[in-house]
Coordinates of all heavy atoms in Angstrom, one line a residue:
Y1 N 5.4 -24.1 -2.7 CA 4.5 -23.6 -3.7 C 4.7 -22.1 -4.0 O 4.8 -21.7 -5.2 CB 3.0 -23.8 -3.2 CG 2.0 -23.2 -4.2 CD1 1.6 -23.8 -5.3 CD2 1.4 -22.0 -3.8 CE1 0.7 -23.3 -6.2 CE2 0.5 -21.4 -4.7 CZ 0.1 -22.1 -5.9 OH -0.8 -21.5 -6.7
W2 N 4.8 -21.3 -3.0 CA 4.9 -19.8 -3.2 C 6.2 -19.5 -3.8 O 6.3 -18.6 -4.7 CB 4.7 -19.1 -1.9 CG 3.3 -19.3 -1.3 CD1 3.0 -20.0 -0.2 CD2 2.1 -18.8 -1.8 NE1 1.7 -20.0 0.0 CE2 1.1 -19.3 -1.0 CE3 1.7 -18.1 -2.9 CZ2 -0.3 -19.0 -1.2 CZ3 0.4 -17.8 -3.1 CH2 -0.6 -18.2 -2.3
L3 N 7.3 -20.2 -3.4 CA 8.6 -19.8 -4.0 C 8.7 -20.3 -5.5 O 9.5 -19.8 -6.2 CB 9.7 -20.5 -3.1 CG 9.8 -19.9 -1.7 CD1 10.8 -20.6 -0.9 CD2 10.0 -18.4 -1.7
K4 N 7.9 -21.2 -5.9 CA 7.8 -21.6 -7.3 C 7.2 -20.5 -8.1 O 7.5 -20.2 -9.2 CB 7.1 -22.9 -7.5 CG 7.9 -24.1 -7.0 CD 7.2 -25.4 -7.2 CE 8.0 -26.5 -6.7 NZ 7.4 -27.8 -6.8
I5 N 6.2 -19.9 -7.5 CA 5.5 -18.7 -8.2 C 6.4 -17.5 -8.3 O 6.5 -16.8 -9.3 CB 4.2 -18.4 -7.5 CG1 3.2 -19.5 -7.6 CG2 3.6 -17.1 -8.1 CD1 1.9 -19.3 -6.8
C6 N 7.1 -17.3 -7.2 CA 8.0 -16.1 -7.0 C 9.4 -16.5 -6.6 O 9.8 -16.3 -5.5 CB 7.4 -15.1 -6.0 SG 5.8 -14.5 -6.4
P7 N 10.1 -17.1 -7.6 CA 11.4 -17.7 -7.2 C 12.5 -16.6 -6.8 O 13.5 -17.0 -6.2 CB 11.9 -18.4 -8.5 CG 11.1 -17.7 -9.6 CD 9.8 -17.3 -9.0
G8 N 12.3 -15.4 -7.1 CA 13.2 -14.3 -6.7 C 13.0 -13.8 -5.3 O 13.8 -12.9 -4.9
L9 N 12.0 -14.3 -4.6 CA 11.7 -13.7 -3.3 C 11.9 -14.8 -2.2 O 12.2 -16.0 -2.5 CB 10.2 -13.3 -3.2 CG 9.8 -12.2 -4.2 CD1 8.4 -11.8 -4.1 CD2 10.7 -10.9 -4.0
K10 N 11.9 -14.4 -0.9 CA 12.2 -15.3 0.2 C 11.0 -15.4 1.2 O 10.3 -14.4 1.3 CB 13.4 -14.8 1.0 CG 14.6 -14.4 0.3 CD 15.7 -14.0 1.2 CE 15.6 -12.8 2.0 NZ 15.6 -11.5 1.4
I11 N 10.9 -16.5 1.8 CA 10.0 -16.7 2.9 C 10.8 -17.4 4.0 O 11.1 -18.6 4.0 CB 8.8 -17.6 2.6 CG1 8.0 -17.0 1.4 CG2 7.9 -17.8 3.8 CD1 6.9 -17.9 0.9
S12 N 11.4 -16.6 4.9 CA 12.3 -17.2 5.9 C 11.6 -17.5 7.2 O 12.1 -18.4 8.0 CB 13.4 -16.2 6.2 OG 12.9 -15.1 6.9
G13 N 10.5 -16.9 7.5 CA 9.9 -17.1 8.8 C 10.6 -16.4 10.0 O 10.2 -16.5 11.1
Q14 N 11.6 -15.6 9.6 CA 12.4 -14.8 10.6 C 11.9 -13.4 10.6 O 11.5 -12.9 9.5 CB 13.9 -14.9 10.3 CG 14.4 -16.3 10.2 CD 14.4 -17.0 11.5 OE1 14.7 -16.4 12.6 NE2 13.9 -18.3 11.5
A15 N 12.0 -12.7 11.7 CA 11.7 -11.3 11.8 C 12.7 -10.5 10.9 O 13.9 -10.9 10.8 CB 11.8 -10.8 13.2
V16 N 12.2 -9.5 10.3 CA 13.1 -8.7 9.4 C 13.8 -7.8 10.3 O 13.3 -7.1 11.2 CB 12.2 -7.8 8.4 CG1 13.1 -6.9 7.7 CG2 11.5 -8.8 7.5
G17 N 15.2 -7.7 10.1 CA 16.0 -6.9 10.9 C 15.8 -5.4 10.6 O 15.1 -5.0 9.7
P18 N 16.4 -4.6 11.5 CA 16.2 -3.1 11.2 C 16.8 -2.7 9.9 O 17.8 -3.2 9.5 CB 16.9 -2.5 12.4 CG 17.8 -3.5 13.0 CD 17.2 -4.8 12.6
P19 N 16.1 -1.8 9.2 CA 16.6 -1.4 7.9 C 17.9 -0.5 8.0 O 18.1 0.1 9.1 CB 15.4 -0.6 7.3 CG 14.7 -0.1 8.5 CD 14.9 -1.1 9.6
K20 N 18.6 -0.4 7.0 CA 19.7 0.5 6.9 C 19.2 1.9 6.9 O 18.2 2.2 6.2 CB 20.6 0.2 5.7 CG 21.2 -1.2 5.7 CD 22.1 -1.4 4.5 CE 22.8 -2.7 4.5 NZ 22.2 -3.7 3.8
P21 N 19.8 2.8 7.6 CA 19.3 4.2 7.7 C 19.6 5.0 6.5 O 19.6 6.3 6.6 CB 20.0 4.7 9.0 CG 21.3 4.0 9.1 CD 21.0 2.6 8.5
S22 N 19.9 4.5 5.4 CA 20.3 5.2 4.2 C 19.3 6.3 3.7 O 19.8 7.3 3.2 CB 20.6 4.3 3.0 OG 19.4 3.6 2.7
G23 N 18.0 6.1 3.9 CA 17.1 7.0 3.4 C 16.6 8.0 4.4 O 15.8 8.9 4.1
L24 N 17.1 8.0 5.6 CA 16.6 8.8 6.7 C 16.9 10.3 6.5 O 16.3 11.1 7.1 CB 17.0 8.3 8.0 CG 16.5 6.9 8.4 CD1 17.0 6.5 9.8 CD2 15.0 6.7 8.2
Q25 N 17.8 10.6 5.5 CA 18.1 12.0 5.3 C 16.9 12.7 4.6 O 16.8 13.9 4.6 CB 19.3 12.1 4.4 CG 19.2 11.6 2.9 CD 19.5 10.2 2.8 OE1 19.7 9.4 3.7 NE2 19.6 9.7 1.5
D26 N 15.9 11.9 4.1 CA 14.7 12.5 3.5 C 13.7 12.8 4.6 O 12.7 13.4 4.3 CB 14.1 11.5 2.6 CG 14.9 11.3 1.3 OD1 15.7 12.1 1.0 OD2 14.7 10.2 0.7
A27 N 14.0 12.5 5.9 CA 12.9 12.7 6.9 C 12.5 14.1 7.0 O 11.3 14.4 7.2 CB 13.5 12.2 8.3
E28 N 13.4 15.1 7.0 CA 13.0 16.5 7.1 C 12.1 16.9 6.0 O 11.1 17.6 6.2 CB 14.2 17.4 7.3 CG 13.8 18.8 7.6 CD 12.9 19.0 8.8 OE1 13.1 18.2 9.8 OE2 11.9 19.8 8.8
R29 N 12.4 16.5 4.7 CA 11.6 16.9 3.6 C 10.2 16.2 3.7 O 9.2 16.9 3.5 CB 12.3 16.4 2.3 CG 11.4 16.8 1.0 CD 11.8 16.0 -0.2 NE 11.9 14.6 -0.1 CZ 10.8 13.8 -0.2 NH1 9.6 14.3 -0.4 NH2 11.0 12.5 -0.1
V30 N 10.2 15.0 4.1 CA 8.9 14.3 4.3 C 8.1 15.0 5.4 O 6.9 15.2 5.2 CB 9.1 12.8 4.6 CG1 7.8 12.1 5.0 CG2 9.7 12.1 3.4
R31 N 8.7 15.4 6.5 CA 8.0 16.1 7.5 C 7.4 17.4 7.0 O 6.2 17.7 7.3 CB 9.0 16.3 8.7 CG 8.3 17.0 9.9 CD 9.2 17.3 11.0 NE 10.6 16.9 10.9 CZ 11.1 15.8 11.5 NH1 10.3 15.0 12.2 NH2 12.4 15.5 11.4
Q32 N 8.2 18.1 6.3 CA 7.7 19.4 5.7 C 6.5 19.2 4.8 O 5.5 19.9 4.8 CB 8.8 20.1 4.9 CG 9.5 21.3 5.5 CD 8.7 22.1 6.5 OE1 8.9 21.9 7.7 NE2 7.9 23.0 6.1
D33 N 6.6 18.2 3.9 CA 5.5 17.8 3.0 C 4.3 17.5 3.8 O 3.2 17.9 3.4 CB 5.9 16.6 2.1 CG 6.9 16.9 1.1 OD1 7.3 18.1 0.9 OD2 7.4 15.9 0.5
L34 N 4.4 16.7 4.8 CA 3.2 16.3 5.6 C 2.6 17.5 6.3 O 1.3 17.7 6.3 CB 3.6 15.3 6.7 CG 3.9 13.9 6.1 CD1 4.4 13.0 7.2 CD2 2.8 13.3 5.4
V35 N 3.4 18.4 6.8 CA 2.9 19.6 7.4 C 2.2 20.5 6.4 O 1.1 21.0 6.6 CB 4.0 20.4 8.2 CG1 3.5 21.8 8.6 CG2 4.5 19.6 9.4
E36 N 2.8 20.8 5.3 CA 2.3 21.7 4.3 C 1.2 21.2 3.4 O 0.3 21.9 3.1 CB 3.5 22.2 3.4 CG 4.5 23.1 4.2 CD 5.7 23.5 3.4 OE1 5.7 23.2 2.1 OE2 6.6 24.0 4.0
D37 N 1.4 19.9 3.0 CA 0.5 19.3 2.0 C -0.4 18.2 2.5 O -1.4 17.8 1.9 CB 1.3 18.8 0.8 CG 2.1 19.9 0.2 OD1 1.7 21.0 0.1 OD2 3.3 19.5 -0.2
G38 N -0.1 17.6 3.7 CA -0.8 16.5 4.2 C -0.4 15.2 3.7 O -1.0 14.1 4.0
Y39 N 0.6 15.1 2.8 CA 1.1 13.9 2.2 C 2.5 14.1 1.7 O 3.0 15.3 1.6 CB 0.2 13.4 1.1 CG 0.3 14.2 -0.2 CD1 1.2 13.9 -1.2 CD2 -0.5 15.4 -0.3 CE1 1.3 14.7 -2.3 CE2 -0.4 16.1 -1.4 CZ 0.5 15.8 -2.5 OH 0.6 16.6 -3.6
S40 N 3.2 13.1 1.4 CA 4.6 13.2 0.8 C 4.8 12.0 -0.2 O 4.2 10.9 0.0 CB 5.6 13.1 1.9 OG 6.9 13.3 1.4
K41 N 5.5 12.3 -1.2 CA 5.8 11.3 -2.2 C 7.2 10.8 -1.9 O 8.1 11.6 -1.7 CB 5.7 11.8 -3.6 CG 4.3 12.2 -4.0 CD 4.4 12.7 -5.5 CE 3.0 13.2 -5.9 NZ 3.0 13.7 -7.3
I42 N 7.4 9.5 -2.0 CA 8.7 8.9 -1.8 C 9.2 8.4 -3.2 O 8.5 7.7 -3.8 CB 8.7 7.7 -0.8 CG1 8.0 8.1 0.5 CG2 10.0 7.1 -0.6 CD1 8.7 9.1 1.3
A43 N 10.3 8.8 -3.6 CA 10.8 8.5 -4.9 C 11.1 7.0 -5.0 O 11.5 6.3 -4.0 CB 12.1 9.2 -5.2
R44 N 10.8 6.4 -6.2 CA 11.1 5.0 -6.4 C 12.6 4.7 -6.1 O 13.5 5.4 -6.5 CB 10.8 4.7 -7.9 CG 11.2 3.2 -8.2 CD 10.9 3.0 -9.7 NE 11.4 1.8 -10.2 CZ 10.8 0.6 -10.1 NH1 9.6 0.6 -9.6 NH2 11.3 -0.5 -10.5
G45 N 12.8 3.7 -5.2 CA 14.2 3.5 -4.8 C 14.7 4.5 -3.9 O 15.9 4.6 -3.6
G46 N 13.8 5.2 -3.2 CA 14.3 6.3 -2.3 C 14.4 5.9 -0.9 O 15.0 4.9 -0.6
A47 N 13.8 6.6 0.0 CA 14.1 6.5 1.4 C 13.6 5.2 2.0 O 14.1 4.8 3.1 CB 13.3 7.7 2.2
V48 N 12.7 4.5 1.4 CA 12.1 3.3 2.0 C 12.7 2.0 1.6 O 12.9 1.1 2.4 CB 10.5 3.3 1.8 CG1 9.9 2.0 2.2 CG2 9.9 4.5 2.4
A49 N 13.1 1.9 0.3 CA 13.6 0.7 -0.2 C 14.5 0.9 -1.4 O 14.2 1.8 -2.2 CB 12.5 -0.3 -0.6
P50 N 15.6 0.2 -1.6 CA 16.4 0.3 -2.8 C 15.6 -0.1 -4.0 O 14.7 -0.9 -3.9 CB 17.5 -0.7 -2.5 CG 17.4 -1.2 -1.1 CD 16.1 -0.8 -0.6
E51 N 16.0 0.5 -5.1 CA 15.2 0.2 -6.4 C 15.2 -1.2 -6.7 O 14.2 -1.8 -7.2 CB 15.8 1.1 -7.5 CG 14.9 1.0 -8.7 CD 15.2 2.1 -9.7 OE1 16.0 3.0 -9.4 OE2 14.5 2.1 -10.7
A52 N 16.3 -2.0 -6.5 CA 16.3 -3.4 -6.8 C 15.3 -4.2 -6.0 O 14.7 -5.1 -6.5 CB 17.7 -4.0 -6.5
L53 N 15.0 -3.8 -4.8 CA 14.0 -4.4 -3.9 C 12.6 -4.1 -4.5 O 11.8 -5.0 -4.6 CB 14.1 -3.9 -2.5 CG 13.1 -4.5 -1.5 CD1 13.1 -6.0 -1.5 CD2 13.4 -4.0 -0.1
V54 N 12.4 -2.8 -4.9 CA 11.1 -2.5 -5.5 C 10.9 -3.3 -6.8 O 9.8 -3.8 -7.0 CB 11.1 -0.9 -5.8 CG1 9.8 -0.5 -6.5 CG2 11.2 -0.1 -4.5
D55 N 11.9 -3.4 -7.6 CA 11.8 -4.3 -8.8 C 11.4 -5.7 -8.5 O 10.6 -6.3 -9.1 CB 13.1 -4.2 -9.6 CG 13.3 -2.9 -10.2 OD1 12.4 -2.0 -10.3 OD2 14.5 -2.6 -10.6
K56 N 12.1 -6.3 -7.4 CA 11.7 -7.7 -7.1 C 10.3 -7.8 -6.6 O 9.6 -8.8 -7.0 CB 12.7 -8.1 -5.9 CG 14.1 -8.4 -6.4 CD 15.0 -8.6 -5.2 CE 14.9 -10.1 -4.7 NZ 15.9 -10.4 -3.6
L57 N 9.8 -6.8 -5.9 CA 8.4 -6.9 -5.4 C 7.5 -6.7 -6.6 O 6.4 -7.4 -6.7 CB 8.2 -5.8 -4.3 CG 8.8 -6.1 -3.0 CD1 8.7 -4.9 -2.1 CD2 8.1 -7.3 -2.3
H58 N 7.8 -5.8 -7.5 CA 7.0 -5.6 -8.7 C 6.8 -6.9 -9.5 O 5.7 -7.3 -9.9 CB 7.6 -4.5 -9.6 CG 6.8 -4.3 -10.8 ND1 7.1 -4.8 -12.0 CD2 5.7 -3.5 -11.0 CE1 6.2 -4.5 -12.9 NE2 5.4 -3.6 -12.3
E59 N 8.0 -7.6 -9.7 CA 7.9 -8.9 -10.4 C 7.1 -9.9 -9.6 O 6.4 -10.7 -10.2 CB 9.4 -9.4 -10.6 CG 9.5 -10.7 -11.3 CD 8.9 -10.7 -12.7 OE1 8.8 -9.7 -13.3 OE2 8.6 -11.8 -13.2
G60 N 7.3 -9.9 -8.3 CA 6.6 -10.9 -7.5 C 5.1 -10.7 -7.6 O 4.3 -11.6 -7.7
I61 N 4.7 -9.4 -7.5 CA 3.2 -9.1 -7.6 C 2.7 -9.5 -9.0 O 1.6 -10.1 -9.1 CB 3.0 -7.6 -7.3 CG1 3.2 -7.3 -5.8 CG2 1.6 -7.2 -7.7 CD1 3.3 -5.8 -5.5
S62 N 3.4 -9.2 -10.0 CA 3.0 -9.6 -11.4 C 2.9 -11.2 -11.5 O 1.9 -11.7 -12.0 CB 4.0 -9.2 -12.4 OG 4.1 -7.8 -12.4
R63 N 3.8 -11.9 -10.9 CA 3.7 -13.4 -10.9 C 2.6 -13.9 -10.1 O 1.9 -14.8 -10.5 CB 5.0 -14.0 -10.4 CG 6.2 -13.8 -11.4 CD 7.5 -14.3 -10.7 NE 8.5 -14.4 -11.7 CZ 8.8 -15.5 -12.4 NH1 8.1 -16.6 -12.3 NH2 9.8 -15.4 -13.3
L64 N 2.3 -13.3 -9.0 CA 1.2 -13.7 -8.1 C -0.1 -13.5 -8.9 O -1.0 -14.4 -8.9 CB 1.1 -13.0 -6.8 CG 2.1 -13.4 -5.8 CD1 2.1 -12.3 -4.6 CD2 1.8 -14.7 -5.2
V65 N -0.3 -12.4 -9.5 CA -1.5 -12.1 -10.2 C -1.7 -13.0 -11.4 O -2.8 -13.5 -11.7 CB -1.5 -10.6 -10.7 CG1 -2.7 -10.3 -11.6 CG2 -1.7 -9.7 -9.4
R66 N -0.6 -13.3 -12.2 CA -0.7 -14.2 -13.3 C -1.1 -15.6 -12.8 O -1.7 -16.4 -13.6 CB 0.7 -14.2 -14.1 CG 0.9 -13.1 -15.0 CD 2.0 -13.3 -16.0 NE 3.2 -13.6 -15.4 CZ 4.2 -12.8 -15.0 NH1 4.0 -11.5 -15.2 NH2 5.3 -13.2 -14.5
A67 N -0.7 -16.0 -11.6 CA -1.0 -17.3 -11.1 C -2.4 -17.3 -10.4 O -2.8 -18.3 -9.9 CB 0.0 -17.7 -10.0
G68 N -3.1 -16.2 -10.5 CA -4.5 -16.1 -10.0 C -4.7 -15.7 -8.6 O -5.8 -15.8 -8.0
W69 N -3.6 -15.2 -8.0 CA -3.7 -14.8 -6.6 C -3.8 -13.3 -6.5 O -3.3 -12.6 -7.4 CB -2.4 -15.3 -5.8 CG -2.4 -16.7 -5.7 CD1 -1.6 -17.6 -6.5 CD2 -3.1 -17.6 -4.8 NE1 -1.8 -18.9 -6.1 CE2 -2.7 -18.9 -5.1 CE3 -4.0 -17.3 -3.8 CZ2 -3.3 -20.0 -4.4 CZ3 -4.5 -18.4 -3.0 CH2 -4.1 -19.7 -3.3
P70 N -4.4 -12.8 -5.4 CA -4.5 -11.3 -5.3 C -3.1 -10.7 -5.0 O -2.2 -11.3 -4.4 CB -5.3 -11.1 -4.0 CG -6.0 -12.4 -3.7 CD -5.1 -13.5 -4.4
A71 N -2.8 -9.5 -5.5 CA -1.6 -8.8 -5.4 C -1.2 -8.7 -3.9 O 0.0 -8.7 -3.6 CB -1.6 -7.5 -6.1
T72 N -2.2 -8.6 -3.1 CA -1.9 -8.4 -1.6 C -1.2 -9.6 -1.0 O -0.6 -9.5 0.1 CB -3.2 -8.1 -0.8 OG1 -4.1 -9.1 -1.1 CG2 -3.8 -6.8 -1.2
F73 N -1.2 -10.7 -1.7 CA -0.5 -11.9 -1.1 C 1.0 -11.7 -1.1 O 1.8 -12.5 -0.6 CB -0.8 -13.1 -1.9 CG -2.1 -13.8 -1.4 CD1 -3.2 -13.1 -1.1 CD2 -2.1 -15.2 -1.3 CE1 -4.4 -13.7 -0.6 CE2 -3.3 -15.8 -0.8 CZ -4.4 -15.1 -0.5
I74 N 1.5 -10.6 -1.7 CA 2.9 -10.3 -1.6 C 3.4 -10.2 -0.2 O 4.6 -10.3 0.1 CB 3.3 -9.0 -2.4 CG1 4.8 -8.9 -2.8 CG2 2.8 -7.7 -1.7 CD1 5.3 -9.9 -3.7
I75 N 2.5 -9.9 0.7 CA 2.8 -9.8 2.1 C 3.4 -11.0 2.8 O 4.1 -10.9 3.8 CB 1.6 -9.2 2.9 CG1 2.1 -8.5 4.2 CG2 0.6 -10.4 3.2 CD1 1.1 -7.6 4.8
I76 N 3.3 -12.2 2.1 CA 3.9 -13.4 2.7 C 5.4 -13.5 2.5 O 6.0 -14.3 3.1 CB 3.2 -14.7 2.2 CG1 3.5 -14.9 0.7 CG2 1.7 -14.7 2.5 CD1 3.1 -16.2 0.2
F77 N 5.9 -12.6 1.7 CA 7.4 -12.6 1.4 C 8.2 -11.6 2.2 O 7.7 -10.5 2.5 CB 7.6 -12.3 -0.1 CG 7.0 -13.4 -1.0 CD1 5.7 -13.2 -1.6 CD2 7.6 -14.6 -1.2 CE1 5.2 -14.2 -2.4 CE2 7.1 -15.6 -2.0 CZ 5.8 -15.4 -2.6
D78 N 9.4 -12.0 2.6 CA 10.2 -11.2 3.4 C 10.5 -9.8 2.9 O 10.5 -8.8 3.6 CB 11.6 -11.9 3.6 CG 11.5 -13.2 4.4 OD1 10.5 -13.5 4.9 OD2 12.6 -13.8 4.5
E79 N 10.6 -9.7 1.6 CA 10.9 -8.4 0.9 C 9.9 -7.4 1.2 O 10.2 -6.2 1.3 CB 11.2 -8.6 -0.6 CG 12.4 -9.4 -0.9 CD 12.3 -10.9 -0.8 OE1 11.3 -11.4 -0.4 OE2 13.4 -11.5 -1.1
C80 N 8.6 -7.8 1.3 CA 7.5 -6.9 1.6 C 7.7 -6.3 3.0 O 7.6 -5.1 3.2 CB 6.2 -7.6 1.5 SG 4.8 -6.5 1.8
W81 N 8.1 -7.2 3.9 CA 8.3 -6.7 5.3 C 9.6 -5.8 5.4 O 9.6 -5.0 6.3 CB 8.4 -7.9 6.2 CG 7.0 -8.5 6.3 CD1 6.5 -9.6 5.6 CD2 5.9 -8.0 7.0 NE1 5.2 -9.8 5.9 CE2 4.8 -8.8 6.8 CE3 5.7 -6.9 7.9 CZ2 3.5 -8.6 7.3 CZ3 4.5 -6.7 8.5 CH2 3.4 -7.5 8.2
E82 N 10.5 -6.0 4.5 CA 11.7 -5.1 4.5 C 11.2 -3.7 4.1 O 11.7 -2.7 4.7 CB 12.7 -5.6 3.5 CG 13.4 -6.9 3.9 CD 14.4 -7.4 2.8 OE1 14.9 -6.6 2.1 OE2 14.5 -8.6 2.8
V83 N 10.3 -3.6 3.2 CA 9.8 -2.3 2.8 C 9.0 -1.7 4.0 O 9.1 -0.5 4.3 CB 8.9 -2.3 1.5 CG1 8.3 -1.0 1.2 CG2 9.8 -2.8 0.3
I84 N 8.2 -2.5 4.6 CA 7.4 -2.0 5.8 C 8.4 -1.5 6.9 O 8.2 -0.5 7.5 CB 6.5 -3.1 6.3 CG1 5.4 -3.4 5.2 CG2 5.9 -2.7 7.6 CD1 4.6 -4.6 5.5
A85 N 9.5 -2.3 7.1 CA 10.5 -1.8 8.1 C 11.1 -0.5 7.7 O 11.4 0.4 8.5 CB 11.5 -2.9 8.3
G86 N 11.4 -0.4 6.4 CA 12.0 0.9 5.9 C 11.0 2.1 6.1 O 11.4 3.2 6.5
M87 N 9.7 1.8 5.8 CA 8.7 2.9 6.0 C 8.6 3.2 7.5 O 8.5 4.4 7.9 CB 7.3 2.4 5.5 CG 6.2 3.4 5.7 SD 6.6 5.1 5.0 CE 6.2 4.8 3.3
Q88 N 8.6 2.2 8.4 CA 8.6 2.4 9.8 C 9.7 3.3 10.3 O 9.6 4.2 11.1 CB 8.5 1.1 10.6 CG 8.3 1.4 12.1 CD 7.0 2.1 12.4 OE1 6.0 1.5 12.2 NE2 7.1 3.3 13.0
A89 N 10.9 3.0 9.8 CA 12.1 3.8 10.2 C 12.0 5.2 9.7 O 12.3 6.1 10.5 CB 13.4 3.1 9.6
L90 N 11.5 5.4 8.5 CA 11.3 6.8 8.0 C 10.2 7.5 8.9 O 10.4 8.6 9.3 CB 10.9 6.8 6.6 CG 10.6 8.1 5.9 CD1 11.8 9.1 6.0 CD2 10.1 8.0 4.5
M91 N 9.1 6.8 9.1 CA 8.0 7.4 9.9 C 8.5 7.7 11.4 O 8.1 8.7 12.0 CB 6.8 6.6 9.9 CG 6.1 6.5 8.6 SD 5.7 8.2 7.9 CE 4.6 8.8 9.1
D92 N 9.3 6.8 11.9 CA 9.9 7.1 13.3 C 10.7 8.4 13.2 O 10.6 9.2 14.1 CB 10.8 6.0 13.7 CG 10.0 4.8 14.2 OD1 8.8 4.9 14.5 OD2 10.6 3.7 14.4
A93 N 11.5 8.6 12.2 CA 12.3 9.8 12.1 C 11.5 11.0 11.8 O 11.8 12.1 12.4 CB 13.3 9.6 10.9
V94 N 10.4 10.9 11.1 CA 9.5 12.0 10.8 C 8.7 12.4 11.9 O 8.5 13.6 12.2 CB 8.6 11.7 9.5 CG1 7.5 12.7 9.4 CG2 9.5 11.6 8.3
T95 N 8.2 11.5 12.7 CA 7.2 11.7 13.8 C 7.8 11.6 15.2 O 7.0 11.7 16.1 CB 6.0 10.8 13.7 OG1 6.4 9.5 14.0 CG2 5.3 10.9 12.3
G96 N 9.1 11.3 15.3 CA 9.7 11.1 16.6 C 9.2 9.8 17.2 O 9.1 9.8 18.5
G97 N 8.8 8.9 16.4 CA 8.3 7.6 17.0 C 6.9 7.5 17.4 O 6.5 6.6 18.1
K98 N 6.1 8.5 17.0 CA 4.7 8.6 17.5 C 3.7 7.9 16.5 O 2.5 7.9 16.8 CB 4.3 10.1 17.7 CG 5.1 10.7 18.8 CD 4.8 12.2 18.9 CE 5.6 12.8 20.0 NZ 5.8 14.2 19.9
N99 N 4.2 7.5 15.4 CA 3.3 6.7 14.4 C 3.9 5.3 14.3 O 5.1 5.2 14.2 CB 3.3 7.4 13.1 CG 2.0 8.2 12.8 OD1 1.1 8.1 13.6 ND2 2.1 9.0 11.8
R100 N 3.0 4.3 14.2 CA 3.5 2.9 14.1 C 2.9 2.3 12.8 O 1.7 2.5 12.6 CB 3.2 2.1 15.3 CG 3.7 2.6 16.6 CD 5.2 2.7 16.7 NE 5.9 1.4 16.4 CZ 7.2 1.3 16.1 NH1 7.9 2.4 16.1 NH2 7.7 0.2 15.8
C101 N 3.6 1.6 12.0 CA 3.1 0.8 10.9 C 2.9 -0.6 11.5 O 3.8 -1.4 11.6 CB 4.1 0.7 9.8 SG 4.5 2.3 9.0
S102 N 1.6 -0.8 11.9 CA 1.3 -2.2 12.5 C 0.0 -2.6 12.0 O -0.8 -1.9 11.5 CB 1.4 -2.1 14.0 OG 0.6 -1.1 14.5

């Protein structure tokens, strides 16, 4: 059912592997932003997820909403967990592993 609504996404039932460390070079900038401003902005397609993945999630959320489901149901798809894993990797780099996305 879910894959008919969002045919471009996956539901594997498998744990998401560790993300590629491609965006971790942003860790120092994010750390500075948090210290100075209390928040940091991550560019679309930046440190957490490639732009193609962000686009897939955007389309998936749009399809869920059109089908009458809450946007938060995107969490059932693997791609959402890939973004969460990317955020966790970035936060580990920024905080020395002292913050957990759970």
Side-chain angles (χ1 to χ4, degrees):
Y1 174 79
W2 298 110
L3 296 176
K4 287 181 181 176
I5 295 173
C6 299
L9 300 178
K10 312 183 291 290
I11 302 173
S12 71
Q14 303 296 316
V16 174
K20 295 183 176 100
S22 61
L24 298 183
Q25 69 271 11
D26 290 340
E28 187 54 40
R29 180 194 55 82
V30 170
R31 183 183 355 262
Q32 256 332 100
D33 289 349
L34 291 173
V35 169
E36 292 175 9
D37 304 322
Y39 70 94
S40 184
K41 294 181 181 180
I42 307 297
R44 177 181 168 87
V48 174
E51 190 159 358
L53 179 57
V54 174
D55 290 342
K56 286 171 82 173
L57 287 169
H58 180 264
E59 177 64 22
I61 290 168
S62 296
R63 287 174 170 269
L64 285 168
V65 170
R66 282 195 306 268
W69 294 99
T72 54
F73 273 43
I74 197 69
I75 202 162
I76 68 171
F77 296 98
D78 293 353
E79 289 81 359
C80 182
W81 291 98
E82 290 175 30
V83 173
I84 293 168
M87 178 57 79
Q88 184 62 64
L90 178 60
M91 290 308 297
D92 282 347
V94 168
T95 68
K98 296 178 181 155
N99 259 346
R100 302 299 306 164
C101 296
S102 57

